[in-house]
Amino acid sequence: MRVQLNLLGLVLYAQILPSGAAAAQTPNDSSFLLHTADVRRSPSPFIGNGRIGVVIPPLGIGAAPSYKAGLYEHGTDDVPRIVAMPAWNGIGIFDGHDWITPHPAPDGSVRRYDQVLDMRSGTVRTSYDWVNGGARTGIRVEQFVSRADPSLAVSRLEVIPQQAGRMRVRFALTGWPPPERLPLARLPRADPSWKPGDIWYPGHMVVRSRESRRDRSGARLEMTSTPVGRTTVLGQVAAITWGMNLRNPVTSTIASGDTALVEIGFDASAGRTYTFSQLVSSVSSDEAQQPLEQARREVEAGRARGFDRLVRDNARAWLRRWETDIEVEGNPELQRVVRSMLFYLLCSAGSGTKLGIPPMGLSSAGYYGHIFWDSDTWMFPPLLLTHPDIAHSLVAFRTRTLAAARENAKLNGFRGAMYPWEADERGVETTPHFAVQNARSEIHVNGDVALAQWQYYLATADSGWLAAEGFPVIRETADFWVSRAVCEPSDERCHIENVVSVAEGLIGVTD
């Protein structure tokens, strides 16, 4: 069928494909590929499966931020923030002379660079030659966060030296240093000199335990950590394997401070390919009572299936998602843009999470990872039409946090439910103090929340859901509007006074 879809302000005619149609059309469709040959481009892309998102570094190696949906912290005098998980992608390569720098200088050390994000499978492939004096090393990295296995991330590294010599490859789980915090919970004014990075830093995880050891198949790294100010425990397990063609291999394991790592040294032959694989599971105590043990089980199950099977399972799970697609006829470049919009929504939202989507998705700590009206009004409609099971998570977040919205209304002297301008994973008001007028008066968010609930019913005709989940939210927001309105006996109309407009420079607006 054909529908008219408003996607982030862009009006399209979209074709909602029947099951199996996309599979027949996508194998050679370049609009599924995002490609760059610029190693210094910015920003980096990210990939995800709706539960975990990770930024892909330019060279495909080196620690880069990754985020888990719903995992937040709360530092003293700060606002709650989505956290950067301990890095699990800190791959290092020693070419016999130096460690390859994850952020290359403009000195020509990177040659034949190519990075492709294949949206059909959420997979990034990075390839280049690293030139260091007289040494030249080919690097190939393939990475994905599995759509078939919500906690798993998979990497495969190929190293092809063009000269013989001793090389080393390192894999690590590594905690991030604590941020230099601003007391945003009490600062009355924003500093005009602040840049986004000054305030949108990710929350911090405190490493509680770490372990690194050899096992019969390669090496195993383990780590537990806790978000500052929260009791959630995150368990992470990495299994690393390598080929049997390493000559004179020496393996070193270190577990100290905020790091667990394994380093494999070997004698390399010119022109030979050396392959390393890493499988990582990240499980929180919100998902399993014993998160570290669950992560161990998932890593073992993934290792038993093998890399090729994991690749196929992930591709198959993504292909099922692309059975519903948005097609733009006659404009391949626009098709790529629209498809990338849908892809990044799918990277940031999943079925059954009961979570909204932060404005920057799972790509960064932008806007602290808080949930705004963007989730209900801009991100929800295209997901509702294409992937209603995922869209349900966005409206379910508001149902799950209804009690917090009721409490917020009570604290502000109103009845019903007053949904936060900025919400953390618990649905609590988390707006920085310098923007307190938005928390108190940018109340159109309550209309956005209620409208999304009604739209879900209109799209699904699920009256059972409406009675049990949607209507309580709509009723409570209606009660809020009644208590927020001012009615004069001499006037036949009521007014909603002192509102911050959608255009946030308009403060103190009536109606």
Side-chain angles (χ1 to χ4, degrees):
M1 64 177 178
R2 286 202 176 262
V3 299
Q4 192 174 36
L5 175 64
N6 190 312
L7 179 60
L8 301 180
L10 181 65
V11 179
L12 309 171
Y13 283 98
Q15 184 177 17
I16 308 303
L17 297 175
S19 176
Q25 298 182 29
T26 60
N28 298 310
D29 189 345
S30 64
S31 65
F32 276 94
L33 304 178
L34 302 179
H35 170 269
T36 182
D38 182 5
V39 70
R40 286 179 290 280
R41 52 88 181 97
S42 182
S44 284
F46 84 101
I47 56 174
N49 62 3
R51 287 172 169 80
I52 295 173
V54 60
V55 175
I56 299 299
L59 295 184
I61 63 172
S66 61
Y67 302 91
K68 192 170 181 65
L71 192 59
Y72 287 70
E73 57 101 93
H74 193 181
T76 303
D77 285 338
D78 202 354
V79 296
R81 297 172 178 274
I82 196 168
V83 301
M85 294 193 294
W88 43 265
N89 50 2
I91 300 172
I93 303 169
F94 185 79
D95 68 356
H97 302 280
D98 299 291
W99 289 96
I100 293 178
T101 306
H103 305 284
D107 59 0
S109 56
V110 177
R111 310 277 179 86
R112 299 199 305 167
Y113 177 79
D114 187 73
Q115 187 174 78
V116 178
L117 167 51
D118 187 343
M119 295 184 288
R120 289 168 297 197
S121 62
T123 301
V124 174
R125 297 176 180 89
T126 308
S127 62
Y128 52 93
D129 287 351
W130 177 265
V131 179
N132 180 16
R136 190 181 189 110
T137 305
I139 308 295
R140 312 288 181 264
V141 188
E142 181 175 350
Q143 298 162 307
F144 62 89
V145 182
S146 178
R147 192 95 210 177
D149 302 275
S151 79
L152 293 184
V154 181
S155 305
R156 180 168 63 182
L157 168 69
E158 293 182 348
V159 181
I160 310 101
Q162 299 305 308
Q163 59 287 317
R166 192 74 180 167
M167 297 193 70
R168 286 181 277 167
V169 175
R170 176 185 295 167
F171 295 85
L173 296 176
T174 306
W176 297 95
E180 295 184 13
R181 293 188 185 271
L182 291 169
L184 296 188
R186 56 181 175 83
L187 278 179
R189 286 179 299 277
D191 189 326
S193 68
W194 286 344
K195 296 179 176 61
D198 296 329
I199 59 174
W200 289 347
Y201 46 85
H204 184 54
M205 299 286 289
V206 179
V207 174
R208 300 299 184 187
S209 68
R210 79 292 300 155
E211 184 177 352
S212 176
R213 66 179 186 273
R214 283 293 313 271
D215 64 17
R216 55 185 174 79
S217 301
R220 178 79 64 88
L221 310 176
E222 296 186 355
M223 181 170 285
T224 61
S225 56
T226 304
V228 169
R230 295 280 205 261
T231 58
T232 306
V233 176
L234 178 69
Q236 293 174 285
V237 176
I240 297 95
T241 58
W242 49 88
M244 301 296 292
N245 63 339
L246 300 188
R247 292 178 54 238
N248 302 319
V250 175
T251 304
S252 303
T253 57
I254 299 173
S256 177
D258 286 350
T259 299
L261 66 82
V262 59
E263 188 173 293
I264 308 102
F266 60 98
D267 292 332
S269 300
R272 195 160 191 180
T273 299
Y274 300 94
T275 303
F276 303 81
S277 297
Q278 177 180 253
L279 175 62
V280 183
S281 177
S282 301
V283 179
S284 79
S285 55
D286 294 329
E287 300 167 308
Q289 290 186 344
Q290 297 179 309
L292 187 62
E293 183 59 35
Q294 181 65 24
R296 288 173 183 151
R297 287 194 291 268
E298 294 188 5
V299 159
E300 279 305 309
R303 181 185 268 182
R305 283 151 63 195
F307 180 84
D308 291 339
R309 172 73 181 277
L310 293 171
V311 168
R312 290 195 300 272
D313 290 347
N314 171 63
R316 192 176 296 115
W318 268 106
L319 189 59
R320 284 195 293 269
R321 283 298 170 194
W322 288 119
E323 288 173 356
T324 304
D325 193 7
I326 300 171
E327 286 202 337
V328 180
E329 297 178 354
N331 192 330
E333 186 55 35
L334 181 59
Q335 175 70 84
R336 183 179 291 105
V337 171
V338 171
R339 193 161 274 151
S340 67
M341 290 178 177
L342 183 56
F343 172 75
Y344 281 121
L345 285 176
L346 293 173
C347 286
S348 300
S351 178
T353 64
K354 296 185 179 181
L355 288 167
I357 306 176
M360 310 297 283
L362 291 179
S363 71
S364 75
Y367 296 96
Y368 326 102
H370 294 170
I371 311 299
F372 288 73
W373 66 296
D374 308 50
S375 180
D376 307 87
T377 293
W378 300 114
M379 302 177 182
F380 172 72
L383 287 172
L384 177 61
L385 290 176
T386 57
H387 301 278
D389 62 317
I390 291 179
H392 177 264
S393 287
L394 278 62
V395 289
F397 170 69
R398 300 303 190 178
T399 304
R400 178 173 65 81
T401 60
L402 178 58
R406 288 195 190 105
E407 183 63 24
N408 192 39
K410 186 184 301 182
L411 289 172
N412 284 276
F414 304 113
R415 299 192 306 274
M418 181 178 177
Y419 279 91
W421 175 239
E422 301 184 29
D424 64 4
E425 85 285 11
R426 306 166 302 170
V428 174
E429 178 62 74
T430 54
T431 302
H433 186 61
F434 66 73
V436 68
Q437 74 276 0
N438 294 352
R440 294 171 179 166
S441 300
E442 196 159 354
I443 52 176
H444 68 80
V445 61
N446 295 278
D448 296 295
V449 168
L451 180 59
Q453 304 287 317
W454 185 241
Q455 288 173 330
Y456 184 81
Y457 169 68
L458 292 179
T460 64
D462 189 340
S463 57
W465 170 88
L466 179 64
E469 300 183 39
F471 178 70
V473 172
I474 297 171
R475 180 190 60 213
E476 295 290 331
T477 54
D479 286 347
F480 166 77
W481 289 120
V482 171
S483 69
R484 183 65 166 76
V486 176
C487 302
E488 296 293 338
S490 59
D491 193 345
E492 294 182 356
R493 295 189 300 174
C494 298
H495 301 276
I496 298 174
E497 300 177 341
N498 190 28
V499 169
V500 173
S501 168
V502 174
E504 293 178 357
L506 300 177
I507 300 173
V509 177
T510 294
D511 297 335

